[in-house]
Amino acid sequence: MTPPGVSSLPAQITRTGRFTHGVPGRFALGADGGTVLFLRSRAGDDPAGCLWAADLPSGAERLLADPAALAGATGQGSGANGIGGYGTDAAATLAAFALVGRLWAADVRTGRVRELPAQGPVTDALPDPGGRRIGYRSAGALRAIGADGAADRPLAVPEGPDIEYGAAGHTEVTALPDRVSGYWWAPDGASLLATRTDHTGVATWYLPDPTRPGEAPKTIRYAAAGAVNADVSLWVLGLDGSRTRVRWDERAFEYVVGAGWDARGPYAVVQSRDQRTVRFLAIDPASGATTVLAEQRDDCWVQLLPGLPARTDSGAVVAHADQAGTRHLTVAGAVVTPAGLQIRAVLGIHGEDVLFAASDDPVRTDLWVYRPAGGLARLTDEAGVHTGIWNGRTLVHVADTGDRPGGRATVRRVMGAGPGPLPVPIASLAERPVLEPNATRLILGARELRANLFWPSWHRPGSGVLPVLLDPYGGAGAQRVTDGIDTRALIAQWFAEQGFAVLVADGSGTPGRGPAWEREVHGDLFGPVVDDQVTALHEAARLCPDLDLTRVGIRGWSFSGSLAALAVLRRPDVFHAAVAGAGVTDQLLYEAHWRERFLGHPAEYPERYEACSLLRDAPGLARPLLLIHGLADDNVHVANTLRLSAALLAAGRPHEVLLLPDAGHSAIGGPLTQSLLSHQAQFLRRHLGAAGSDQIPPGVAD
């Protein structure tokens, strides 16, 4: 009998947009806390995000903006992609958003929505704090229009085809999620701080489509490791037409990784190219002069965290400090969090109070608040991954406790904020996955590696050994083993149902284990990671005798695609087959800011890039390897996979290559999901001899 959901999960992943449709998100909360705004589609299989308001304390929901109705009224399309983002004034009484390239404004109190006569195509709409004007971007220009639709004007117009104003770049690194992060209004709405990004010196890369030989290739600007970066500057732009350039040592600090405008004025966060120094700068809006508020240094790299650095209303600098294995929160230079509590992000500052996310267990993230008068308080007591926004009194709390993708959203009071009828839930309309994870949580070896071991639903302990499939991410960008749940965990269970025991382990370099753990990969992206995956495998087999170490595969995508290929190249004694999707094989073919963080500048450390190149290991391939890459991938260029394939061919090493027309970096979730997962499963079953397939009930190995 086929376990429920095995055959239909890939289709459900596609239909639900990786289980994001119907999930409320991108919350906004006004100063009075009377209304919560959010985006959510009408159902778990509907991709079109609508703008909603929930009135408090009743929780009654109102549909503010239906993209289908609005787009249909203009005759400019169906609005099928919905509202992707929006901005509000400080009181959250005015919301502005782009739809089908046009600008719309919603009066939250009355529910009236109207199109404004802006110059399209419109992106990144953001009202000023007072709700009098709306900023937006159009064709590289930054513009503003009155909330009543009058006085549309350009604030900055690009001086050339490769220049744009108000665009988010590295400023997204420290911005809070779902915020416009390329320009920032002054509190009085009379001026803005904005980025100017000049891509002129950045190399042009090409994305040809071999299936359309008559079409010119798509061109992108790509700043690869060791190459020229975009020239990013900051400007104070007045509604009166004034322009003031912000001045700092741009040669020494070429990365602008954060900026904003708080009650004390505009500020910027700048980073050196070697990423070992970060400065927090106060900006004089009249002259553009800057003053260093704080400086952070590290021998490897200064970690960048969402929401940091920042200032309280009194001007106290809120930042982080890495000391003795703990990433602490600091306020005015003083450490305010205990050893072992790893700060993840600052989610909001109101007055002198700081809301932040932190972990005292790497699989769990809690909400905490720091108050100078009251010290620290934990706001969440349930195991899970918690996040939220607040206005100092009311909290929109999102709890991913592993019971459903997207988690549960609840509006409640923060301790000390006074009584009230809250909490109020914000309904999720997301579909329930058709397949339930069947995983054992493990802590492995002396390093206490966190892992999940996914078992086939039909397997019983002691009933027979299973081939093992490692399915890690393994890189600095993400954890896989948490108290939450996401599509990747469901895919791991799907592979388990194909006849594998699927091991997902977080090792060296992954977040949540503290600064020393993260920096173990400094200078060597793969060596410590591969070692931890081998340790996790052997320790799991020691605890679980049903794992067959003579039949071990590994699969991955992006960083873990590189990891999977390297595993069979360097450790064929452990790994017997690999599926490697969209991996970086030549480290010089990846983005400068991310790659140089770990390996340094290639002119200074060429040996690191050579040691981390998969191309030099190609002659040693002795195991089956399937390489997969999307031809439209503008994150990891397909040249990475093609160069590895060429090196393997030159060395006479058989392998398989699957190229995906029209597919970008994230192919899972698109129309190829079913065939792509099935192709991987068939490859792995074939080469790992899913001899356990005679134990699989009929129809499971579809």
Side-chain angles (χ1 to χ4, degrees), residues 4 9 19 402-405 432-440 452-457 484-494 496-497:
L9 179 69
F19 296 96
D403 56 345
R404 64 186 303 168
R432 288 278 186 181
V434 294
L435 194 62
E436 291 290 331
N438 178 32
T440 302
N452 285 328
L453 184 56
F454 293 82
W455 299 97
S457 59
I485 186 174
D486 60 13
T487 304
R488 297 170 301 178
L490 299 171
I491 291 173
Q493 184 62 44
W494 184 87
E497 301 295 353

Side-chain angles (χ1 to χ4, degrees), residues 46 110 240 337 542:
D46 180 1
T110 66
D240 59 2
T337 51
R542 184 177 62 82

Side-chain angles (χ1 to χ4, degrees), residues 234-440:
L234 289 170
W235 294 75
V236 178
L237 306 174
L239 294 180
D240 59 2
S242 61
R243 290 169 53 100
T244 303
R245 181 166 182 159
V246 178
R247 294 180 284 109
W248 74 91
D249 187 348
E250 294 181 39
R251 292 185 58 130
F253 296 89
E254 66 178 87
Y255 289 122
V256 180
V257 293
W261 202 317
D262 59 22
R264 303 188 69 84
Y267 61 84
V269 185
V270 296
Q271 181 186 50
S272 59
R273 173 116 189 198
D274 66 12
Q275 303 187 48
R276 295 174 183 169
T277 307
V278 170
R279 285 182 175 175
F280 185 29
L281 307 176
I283 300 170
D284 181 339
S287 68
T290 56
T291 304
V292 178
L293 296 172
E295 182 176 277
Q296 294 172 284
R297 292 179 178 269
D298 190 88
D299 290 339
C300 297
W301 71 83
V302 175
Q303 188 72 17
L304 301 173
L305 299 182
L308 289 178
R311 291 183 289 195
T312 68
D313 282 1
S314 69
V317 173
V318 181
H320 75 274
D322 293 344
Q323 299 177 3
T326 298
R327 178 158 294 136
H328 295 276
L329 181 70
T330 64
V331 178
V335 170
V336 299
T337 51
L341 182 64
Q342 310 289 351
I343 182 171
R344 302 281 196 133
V346 163
L347 302 173
I349 297 175
H350 288 274
E352 304 303 305
D353 299 344
V354 182
L355 176 73
F356 64 98
S359 300
D360 53 13
D361 182 325
V363 303
R364 171 175 175 160
T365 302
D366 285 290
L367 293 180
W368 295 74
V369 65
Y370 168 75
R371 292 187 172 97
L376 285 175
R378 188 197 298 257
L379 301 181
T380 49
D381 55 14
E382 183 180 15
V385 178
H386 301 269
T387 188
I389 66 166
W390 73 328
N391 63 4
R393 299 180 303 278
T394 304
L395 171 71
V396 180
H397 170 211
V398 179
D400 181 357
T401 58
D403 56 345
R404 64 186 303 168
R408 294 175 282 106
T410 306
V411 187
R412 64 187 182 92
R413 302 292 184 199
V414 176
M415 57 179 297
L422 302 180
V424 168
I426 304 294
S428 174
L429 307 179
E431 288 189 10
R432 288 278 186 181
V434 294
L435 194 62
E436 291 290 331
N438 178 32
T440 302

